[in-house]
Amino acid sequence: MKRRTFLKNSTSGTAALVAAPTLIACKEASEKPIVGEESSEPIRPIAVCTWNFQNATAKAWEVLSSDGSALDAVEQGVMVEEADVTNETVGKGGRPDRDGNVTLDACIMDKDGNCGSVVYLKNIVHPVSVARKVMEETPHIILAGKGAEQFAYEQGFKKEELLTESTRKQYEEWKKTSKYETVINIENHDTIGMLTIDKNGDIAGACTTSGMAYKVAGRVGDSPIIGAGLYVDNEVGGATATGVGEEVIRTVGSFLIVELMRQGKSPQEACEEGVKRIMKKNEGRKDFQIGFLAINKKGETGGYCVHPGFTYREYTENGHENKTVQSFYQKE
Ligand code: ASP
């Protein structure tokens, strides 16, 4: 998958769909507005996700359009990418850390504020489903490493090799020139974050990744951290992040975006504000990328990223479309 197909904005009916990580997916007008002015009809169901993961949004749409819940849709949607070995940034086939181990991070959050997360999980293809089990079957929110893996086996998940022939070869090549140094750049990561609204108007979110390629062993990014890589408040909306997790954690990025929407900003305005706050502290840096995707209770979406030259792809019931991405441009 081409990571530069980040997303962006579009207009459909009364709702502005903005560009964020490969956003969106599918939408359908609802019969009864649930929030907002009377004139403003909420869009639901709807599924959006970061980057160009069109098969994931298609799967989420399949669930939502069969009256499935936002939570089922978001889990099943991102599972498509976790299982896709050609996607080398998520799940099986994700690139390893600098010691050659594939370690996965994921989280999920529902309409009631329930959430579950796994970090540094090895040998399991679907960390998002383990995260959901943590949420539903334990009194905890985060399980890490060996404990998370053991819990997964207890829940019936199978042990599987996550390194593929392709990622093994890339890793062998990396070792030849890297001097064992982890480098943060715009090429060695990507994540699927997905937000959905079901026909009842309830919101859910999920985020799953193999993290930064060739990271220091033990590193955990923003993606499984509730409030950083993902946040959902069913009264307001949801947000998810992609890009350099360290920067997103520092700003509690997704929580920030949701709070900005609570204060009245549109999803697009909130994502722009979030990215700008991060870039203010990183003036002049051109070596990394940050992107936020957000949705509000009305089904309006927005997205913004650091890095000029992106396009994003939108997938709706009407088909697929590439859009020009709105990006934060660094001062020269
Ligand atoms: N946010 C992910 C991480 O830092 C990577 C990405 O989305 O590009 O692990």
Side-chain angles (χ1 to χ4, degrees), residues 164-269:
T164 60
E165 206 34 47
S166 166
T167 51
R168 190 188 308 277
K169 276 189 192 147
Q170 289 174 48
Y171 172 63
E172 293 304 330
E173 284 305 308
W174 176 83
K175 276 202 296 188
K176 286 181 195 163
T177 55
S178 66
K179 300 188 182 121
Y180 198 55
E181 275 173 25
T182 300
V183 175
I184 289 183
N185 61 28
I186 60 163
E187 300 299 338
N188 66 353
H189 53 89
D190 263 2
T191 290
I192 180 166
M194 181 180 281
L195 303 163
T196 54
I197 302 181
D198 61 27
K199 69 171 178 136
N200 299 320
D202 289 324
I203 306 172
C207 193
T208 177
T209 190
S210 51
M212 205 167 285
Y214 318 129
K215 59 198 173 188
V216 175
R219 182 261 188 189
V220 172
D222 62 313
S223 306
I225 307 298
I226 298 297
L230 177 74
Y231 195 70
V232 170
D233 184 324
N234 205 41
E235 286 181 4
V236 179
T240 188
T242 184
V244 177
E246 284 73 5
E247 298 301 323
V248 177
I249 292 171
R250 266 193 256 279
T251 46
V252 199
S254 292
F255 181 73
L256 170 67
I257 304 300
V258 172
E259 287 305 299
L260 288 168
M261 290 194 290
R262 189 194 305 280
Q263 290 163 24
K265 291 203 186 299
S266 69
Q268 180 65 24
E269 289 166 344

Side-chain angles (χ1 to χ4, degrees), residues 284-318:
R285 273 186 76 176
K286 295 182 191 302
D287 57 340
F288 71 83
Q289 170 189 84
I290 298 291
F292 288 111
L293 166 65
I295 192 166
N296 68 11
K297 194 72 175 165
K298 289 194 275 188
E300 295 168 334
T301 64
Y304 201 59
C305 65
V306 178
H307 198 325
F310 280 108
T311 63
Y312 75 95
R313 193 157 184 170
E314 182 180 299
Y315 176 28
T316 71
E317 58 193 344
N318 299 321

Side-chain angles (χ1 to χ4, degrees), residues 141-154:
I141 291 179
I142 305 177
L143 292 184
K146 278 197 179 307
E149 191 177 341
Q150 180 58 34
F151 171 75
Y153 298 142
E154 286 163 13

Side-chain angles (χ1 to χ4, degrees), residues 33-273:
I34 47 174
V35 294
E37 305 91 50
E38 274 163 55
S39 58
S40 168
E41 291 225 333
I43 298 169
R44 64 193 198 204
I46 180 169
V48 296
C49 80
T50 55
W51 305 109
N52 190 24
F53 298 124
Q54 56 188 283
N55 294 334
T57 46
K59 181 66 193 179
W61 178 252
E62 192 185 306
V63 175
L64 291 169
S65 58
S66 324
D67 294 347
S69 70
L71 188 65
D72 286 340
V74 87
E75 180 189 7
Q76 290 181 40
V78 302
M79 283 173 71
V80 170
E81 294 305 319
E82 289 179 337
D84 181 356
V85 293
T86 66
N87 177 349
E88 297 183 337
T89 62
V90 176
K92 182 168 173 139
R95 294 194 201 95
D97 66 19
R98 67 180 184 177
D99 293 330
N101 297 306
V102 182
T103 66
L104 305 179
D105 295 337
C107 71
I108 192 162
M109 192 161 188
D110 77 6
K111 66 184 171 60
D112 298 315
N114 298 313
C115 45
S117 161
V118 288
V119 306
Y120 195 74
L121 179 64
K122 292 181 185 171
N123 301 317
I124 303 288
V125 177
H126 291 299
V128 73
S129 300
V130 183
R132 183 167 176 178
K133 289 286 185 193
V134 174
M135 175 174 87
E136 293 178 340
E137 306 295 337
T138 80
H140 308 304
I141 291 179
I142 305 177
L143 292 184
K146 278 197 179 307
E149 191 177 341
Q150 180 58 34
F151 171 75
Y153 298 142
E154 286 163 13
Q155 292 293 323
F157 291 83
K158 299 277 171 299
K159 183 169 186 169
E160 213 169 305
E161 175 60 61
L162 301 181
L163 201 63
T164 60
E165 206 34 47
S166 166
T167 51
R168 190 188 308 277
K169 276 189 192 147
Q170 289 174 48
Y171 172 63
E172 293 304 330
E173 284 305 308
W174 176 83
K175 276 202 296 188
K176 286 181 195 163
T177 55
S178 66
K179 300 188 182 121
Y180 198 55
E181 275 173 25
T182 300
V183 175
I184 289 183
N185 61 28
I186 60 163
E187 300 299 338
N188 66 353
H189 53 89
D190 263 2
T191 290
I192 180 166
M194 181 180 281
L195 303 163
T196 54
I197 302 181
D198 61 27
K199 69 171 178 136
N200 299 320
D202 289 324
I203 306 172
C207 193
T208 177
T209 190
S210 51
M212 205 167 285
Y214 318 129
K215 59 198 173 188
V216 175
R219 182 261 188 189
V220 172
D222 62 313
S223 306
I225 307 298
I226 298 297
L230 177 74
Y231 195 70
V232 170
D233 184 324
N234 205 41
E235 286 181 4
V236 179
T240 188
T242 184
V244 177
E246 284 73 5
E247 298 301 323
V248 177
I249 292 171
R250 266 193 256 279
T251 46
V252 199
S254 292
F255 181 73
L256 170 67
I257 304 300
V258 172
E259 287 305 299
L260 288 168
M261 290 194 290
R262 189 194 305 280
Q263 290 163 24
K265 291 203 186 299
S266 69
Q268 180 65 24
E269 289 166 344
C271 290
E272 290 184 17
E273 170 74 21

